[in-house]
Amino acid sequence: MKLFHQNSLRRTTGRARYFFFLVLALLVKGLLFSSATSSHPLPVDDVELIVPAQKDQACSIDGELTALLGLHNQSRNKGLLCGRVRKRSTPPLILSCELSRAAKKHADDLHANNFLAHQGSDGKTMGDRALDAAYQWRNVGENVAQGFNSPELVYQTWLESAGHCKNIASHKFEEWGAAKVGATWVVMFGRR
């Protein structure tokens, strides 16, 4: 059992080292924060964007969603108070193209049909949408909102709700995907 723990620790350390050097290389090349003209820019020091681990999984998110991911990771790094429960620090979320596609499908549906729910107008759940987007999940969660014009406002509202805050802080989630259509926001969380 002790040996297994040591192997697990090495794998985590290697994975963290990989992401550190990947993000560092992107920063040096100036590719990571190329959307400096975003309407809601955050200082580079405040945003931690982790890119997908698979090279063939190329996708991108706009400046507002990049800022939203940065806010999520900033809070996860510090730990959160969700309702009356203190949530400890958790690793940063990694951008998932599949979860982003699933979030976009749901945001399109919510916006087009002018409603707010976790179940789509087609009866599908967040788990169904994740599977439809080829995300083979072990854990999946979702935060939805309407009527917010900035990532900071929607994020602050989610933090004030214990259930939404728990999704943000949960160690059960490692990946993140999001979409915004009009003033409709959908964030999906997952773990494979």
Side-chain angles (χ1 to χ4, degrees), residues 2 13 18 27 46 50-51 54 61 63 76 87 99 145 151 175 178 191:
K2 200 171 193 176
T13 303
Y18 167 78
L27 281 171
D46 291 342
I50 306 299
V51 296
Q54 300 172 352
I61 55 177
R76 286 171 65 92
K87 303 300 254 176
L99 289 176
E175 296 180 284
R191 175 183 241 166

Side-chain angles (χ1 to χ4, degrees), residues 55-98:
K55 291 180 182 177
D56 62 341
Q57 191 182 30
C59 67
S60 63
I61 55 177
D62 70 15
E64 285 186 312
L65 297 179
T66 300
L68 188 59
L69 176 57
L71 291 167
H72 278 74
N73 284 338
Q74 186 178 35
S75 294
R76 286 171 65 92
N77 183 49
K78 293 177 183 174
L80 287 167
L81 182 62
C82 298
R84 295 180 182 200
V85 178
R86 171 67 58 191
K87 303 300 254 176
R88 61 184 162 84
S89 174
T90 52
L93 294 162
I94 300 167
L95 175 63
S96 163
C97 298
E98 296 94 345

Side-chain angles (χ1 to χ4, degrees), residues 61 64-65 67-69 72 76 93-96 99-100 102-104 106-107 110 116 118 126 129 140-145 151 154-155 158 164 167-168 173 175-181 184-190:
I61 55 177
E64 285 186 312
L65 297 179
L68 188 59
L69 176 57
H72 278 74
R76 286 171 65 92
L93 294 162
I94 300 167
L95 175 63
S96 163
L99 289 176
S100 291
K104 175 75 165 88
H106 194 45
L110 295 175
L116 187 65
H118 291 290
M126 66 187 91
R129 287 187 295 278
V140 68
E142 181 178 71
N143 286 354
V144 297
V154 71
Y155 185 72
W158 283 332
H164 294 98
N167 275 347
I168 293 167
F173 301 129
E175 296 180 284
W176 181 96
K180 178 187 178 217
V181 178
T184 300
W185 301 76
V186 177
V187 170
M188 292 193 67
F189 304 91

Side-chain angles (χ1 to χ4, degrees), residues 7-81:
N7 286 340
S8 177
L9 185 61
R10 275 193 216 122
R11 272 184 264 138
T12 302
T13 303
R15 185 173 151 194
R17 189 177 316 127
Y18 167 78
F19 285 123
F20 170 78
F21 286 113
L22 183 61
V23 170
L24 181 63
L26 290 171
L27 281 171
V28 168
K29 288 187 173 195
L31 297 175
L32 190 58
F33 297 101
S34 60
S35 61
T37 60
S38 166
S39 60
H40 298 286
L42 289 178
V44 173
D45 294 344
D46 291 342
V47 178
E48 183 173 356
L49 176 63
I50 306 299
V51 296
Q54 300 172 352
K55 291 180 182 177
D56 62 341
Q57 191 182 30
C59 67
S60 63
I61 55 177
D62 70 15
E64 285 186 312
L65 297 179
T66 300
L68 188 59
L69 176 57
L71 291 167
H72 278 74
N73 284 338
Q74 186 178 35
S75 294
R76 286 171 65 92
N77 183 49
K78 293 177 183 174
L80 287 167
L81 182 62

